[in-house]
Amino acid sequence: MASAPEDPVLERYFKGHKAAITSVDFSPNGKQLATASWDTFLMLWNFRPQTRAFRYVGHKDVVTSVQFSPLGNLLASASRDRTVRLWTPDKRGKSSEFRAHTAPVRSVDFSADGQFLATASEDKSIKIWNMYRQRFLYSLYRHTHWVRCAKFSPDGRLIVSCSEDKTIKIWDTTSKQCVSNFTDSVGFANFVDFNPNGTCIASAGSDHTVKIWDIRVNKLLQHYQVHSCGVNCVSFHPSGNYLITASSDATLKILDLLEGRLIYTLQGHTGPVFTVSFSKGGELFSSGGADAQVLLWRTNFDELNCKDVIKRNLKRLHLDSPPHLLDIHPRIPHSHEEKIETVEINPKLEVMDLQTSTPPVVDVLSFDSTTTVSILEQRLTLTEDKLKDCLENQQKLCNAIQQKS
């Protein structure tokens, strides 16, 4: 089936990582893409043709998460080496290393104002860092198993976290207390995030489900069962009307949240898809997975009125009345089975002139600030020792001259 003009299109894919892609994030200006991988590297891709890509070397184990700061002047990364790093996203790649977690770090997330960073770890804690002074502030402890993800709300007042203890917790950043708790009896959430207006959260379940929770009334609002394997990541479109999901069944799914329906199934990866993210403007999204490929997709959701999209896709949609995302008091959760007729897009079959980007890669080696300070101190100590030796030798020489005279 040929894609309609409004359908997502795979524009290009980037090759450079040597192992699975764990995380992707667009720069605020939409001109760059940062990726993290099992190969222990971060990579920074530029969308302009014939432009070099940068590979940042510093972590000593799998890099699990990467995110641009709101101003785009910093990149935060988390790793299984138990550290968090802040990088300057340029050819120098200067970085600072944060050590406070006692186990692998699973996620990083900047607050919308860029003042704080939240990190989630397998040490069962969430830690908050001050970005202005680049120092640790406090920890949040209530989870009883590995914390997989922690995200700030758009206004920064709340943090949502998910854990392998099968709970999703909402935290108040002022009181530093857990204020809401969602429990799942079947699986645990691999990933969780707020919608753009902060009224709902979406969870990506190990039990193959995607759930939308309304935090105003603390109830399940929508419940999708559209994947055949665990869901690893979700990303809200900036309008809040769409949600894209990435799964170990090798597909991406796009959900229309206003209508509560699955509208697209995207195939392009060979193997599990671990990460997906919309650009800040929503005109692009990127995905990565076990095949070590970074795919760049284009949509024009914003170019069409939502009703027009629904009208054009009416023949392929389920017509049962679903709960409405904007309802304050949700109706009964609507379970979505794979029976719904949706648009399936396989770019490897439909796109013959797909642009492949294998740009020249520049390795950027970076010492963290503490390492740099240590090296300077060592050099200073050596200089002082040499000076002492020189003074002692001069004193001995003077003493010998005096004795002879």
Side-chain angles (χ1 to χ4, degrees), residues 112-222:
D113 59 10
Q115 294 186 30
F116 303 99
L117 184 75
T119 58
S121 170
E122 292 178 13
D123 64 11
K124 307 176 187 178
S125 77
I126 300 138
K127 297 191 184 297
I128 311 302
W129 309 77
N130 181 296
M131 289 294 95
Y132 177 70
R133 296 184 179 180
Q134 295 199 5
R135 65 182 182 88
F136 168 70
L137 289 179
Y138 60 89
S139 295
L140 300 174
Y141 288 106
R142 281 286 294 276
H143 284 295
T144 58
H145 210 306
W146 294 353
V147 186
R148 285 186 160 264
C149 181
K151 295 279 188 177
F152 280 102
S153 62
D155 60 9
R157 294 187 304 108
L158 302 172
I159 291 173
V160 62
S161 61
C162 61
S163 166
E164 291 193 13
D165 63 13
K166 297 185 178 181
T167 67
I168 294 172
K169 298 184 186 296
I170 307 289
W171 309 81
D172 185 302
T173 56
T174 302
S175 66
K176 303 178 181 57
Q177 299 296 315
C178 178
V179 293
S180 293
N181 191 74
F182 303 100
T183 303
D184 199 322
S185 59
V186 181
F188 56 84
N190 288 309
F191 189 92
V192 67
D193 200 5
F194 284 92
N195 70 336
N197 66 16
T199 60
C200 299
I201 56 172
S203 64
S206 65
D207 60 353
H208 311 178
T209 66
V210 176
K211 296 177 181 178
I212 310 290
W213 306 82
D214 189 323
I215 64 172
R216 295 165 295 185
V217 291
N218 293 336
K219 289 185 179 180
L220 182 63
L221 185 58
Q222 292 182 356

Side-chain angles (χ1 to χ4, degrees), residues 36 49 152 199 246 258 268 372 396:
F152 280 102
T199 60
L258 292 182
T372 305
K396 288 178 181 178

